[in-house]
Amino acid sequence: MLVLGIETSCDETSAALVDDEHILSNIIATQSVHSEYGGVVPEFASRAHIKQLSLIIKEALRKAEKEFSDIDGIAVTYGPGLAGSLLIGLGVAKGLALRLGVPWIGVNHIEGHILAASADAKGPDYPYVCLVVSGGHTLLLLIGEQFSYKILGRTIDDAAGEAFDKVAKVLDLGYPGGPAIEQKAMTGNSRAVHFPRALLNKDNLDFSFSGLKTSVLYFAQSLDKEELVAKIPDIAASFQNAVVDVLSQKSFRAIEKYNCTSIVLAGGVARNSALRHRFEEDCKKRGIHLFIPAPELCTDNAAMIARAGNMRLRSGYQSSFDLDVIPNLSL
Ligand code: KG4
Ligand code: ZN
């Protein structure tokens, strides 16, 4: 089943074509307009989606060597995300579904992240644990069967990606902060500064990153300008190490508690090579199967939405035309 996926929930305008097995194209336009504001400006995001989306869809078709008439179904993110941005994707998806006379489905963006890895040839065995770490979410999930998500833990304040973005702001590294921190950390010493690992001694699977962010802020404020610039690689590496420690320890607690043999890592922060590396090592030691999407499928993209949509449509789900966007949609 050839599915066109559309993703416009935040600041990536993306369209993709997938069939039951392969990603045929995945075009992603990252909006650069936000970088000078240090975060996403919703109004600008909507305008950029309006400008780009039809061109991106055409490009996705061209790259996949397909025509509109080849499309069997349409998948589009309907939440969570920015209302104005989601509306643009949903409006285009409904219009195309009407015109082409094909079924369509609204996809939960978080499910898209989760299924980006699990749709691979040999996916994880049920039940498995999934850690979703993005700019908006930090969730530990137990997935007992297809499309069934039990939340085991979540952040009680900032999301992991949000912490990367806020720390990057403190260090004046620009937006988005994750890639910039990762790059600086490469030449830093991850044991140079001891930052706190919150909630590790609590008997739950929740996370907290706001204290860590504040700790970095206080540490940065204790240095003069020159010292700070010199110490940025060490601060970035130490901060990153603290995040990775907490994410991996809590994830393996979940695996043990629920007797799982597979884990999926998903969301934009799963692009981080220190995090990927730590999970690879820890899983190898414990004989756990690890599934992580390719880096370009971790951050927002339409292929993950198309894949989730393809799986849902083939399982008999579809949306009706009165479906609206849900900006605060949960799993
Ligand atoms: O999944 P995503 O593209 O969007 C949301 O659904 O939120 O995730 C974006 C988040 C941002 O906070 C960004 O800083 C973070 O993922 N991120 C990274 C890396 N690449 C993106 N964080 C750490 N290391 C990276 N390499
Ligand atoms: Zn996302």
Side-chain angles (χ1 to χ4, degrees):
M1 177 177 210
L2 184 71
V3 173
L4 166 69
I6 296 174
E7 157 63 37
T8 62
S9 66
C10 192
D11 59 341
E12 263 88 25
T13 312
S14 182
L17 280 149
V18 306
D19 63 19
D20 298 350
E21 286 170 20
H22 302 108
I23 296 172
L24 308 182
S25 63
N26 186 25
I27 311 296
I28 306 162
T30 301
Q31 303 172 357
S32 53
V33 55
H34 310 287
S35 55
E36 61 185 286
Y37 300 94
V40 178
V41 184
E43 164 100 16
F44 291 165
S46 309
R47 287 172 186 267
H49 289 310
I50 279 273
K51 246 188 175 161
Q52 300 261 37
L53 184 55
S54 36
L55 299 173
I56 301 276
I57 291 173
K58 276 194 190 162
E59 178 60 13
L61 283 164
R62 194 194 61 75
K63 183 105 189 279
E65 299 180 359
K66 298 287 181 191
E67 309 281 335
F68 276 112
S69 56
D70 295 322
I71 295 172
D72 301 310
I74 296 174
V76 60
T77 307
Y78 76 107
L82 301 169
S85 291
L86 291 165
L87 279 167
I88 289 154
L90 192 68
V92 168
K94 285 187 184 182
L96 275 175
L98 259 182
R99 174 72 186 83
L100 300 173
V102 296
W104 72 283
I105 181 134
V107 172
N108 184 316
H109 180 86
I110 306 168
E111 180 171 76
H113 276 302
I114 297 165
L115 297 180
S118 25
D120 280 344
K122 166 83 186 81
D125 291 328
Y126 297 110
Y128 64 89
V129 165
C130 178
L131 173 69
V132 183
V133 269
S134 71
H137 297 88
T138 300
L139 291 171
L140 251 181
L141 304 164
L142 180 69
I143 302 175
E145 57 184 87
Q146 196 176 36
F147 311 135
S148 147
Y149 307 105
K150 179 178 156 86
I151 296 178
L152 305 177
R154 52 168 26 120
T155 181
I156 57 167
D157 41 54
D158 293 347
E162 193 179 354
F164 270 93
D165 295 335
K166 287 179 173 170
V167 164
K169 215 169 190 175
V170 168
L171 302 178
D172 210 10
L173 298 178
Y175 177 87
I181 299 253
E182 174 175 355
Q183 213 245 330
K184 290 289 177 196
M186 279 174 182
T187 55
N189 172 3
S190 61
R191 291 172 201 282
V193 194
H194 184 80
F195 291 124
R197 275 92 170 135
L199 304 186
L200 272 189
N201 53 1
K202 286 267 186 292
D203 185 25
N204 64 30
L205 295 169
D206 289 333
F207 303 93
S208 163
F209 295 106
S210 106
L212 170 59
K213 168 204 67 192
T214 309
S215 240
V216 175
L217 175 69
Y218 288 164
F219 185 78
Q221 285 173 343
S222 73
L223 305 173
D224 66 36
K225 183 106 184 110
E226 247 171 50
E227 268 179 321
L228 176 61
V229 170
K231 276 207 181 310
I232 281 179
D234 283 352
I235 300 173
S238 302
F239 159 76
Q240 183 175 268
N241 198 31
V243 175
V244 169
D245 270 355
V246 175
L247 293 177
S248 88
Q249 290 196 38
K250 291 257 166 163
S251 298
F252 286 99
R253 265 188 218 172
I255 285 180
E256 268 169 35
K257 185 164 178 193
Y258 293 93
N259 240 331
C260 296
T261 55
S262 298
I263 181 161
V264 168
L265 201 53
V269 181
R271 254 191 118 116
N272 184 278
S273 50
L275 183 66
R276 297 171 84 95
H277 190 66
R278 174 73 67 85
F279 271 74
E280 276 158 13
E281 279 189 339
D282 288 354
C283 284
K284 207 167 160 191
K285 262 188 242 154
R286 297 164 202 235
I288 301 293
H289 301 291
L290 173 66
F291 296 80
I292 319 181
E296 68 279 9
L297 296 178
C298 289
T299 33
D300 290 350
N301 68 88
M304 69 184 197
I305 303 303
R307 271 186 160 178
N310 171 290
M311 291 165 85
R312 286 243 178 213
L313 287 167
R314 283 193 293 136
S315 302
Y317 292 86
Q318 57 173 288
S319 296
S320 67
F321 281 98
D322 58 6
L323 181 75
D324 197 357
V325 301
I326 307 185
N328 60 355
L329 182 66
S330 53
L331 254 184

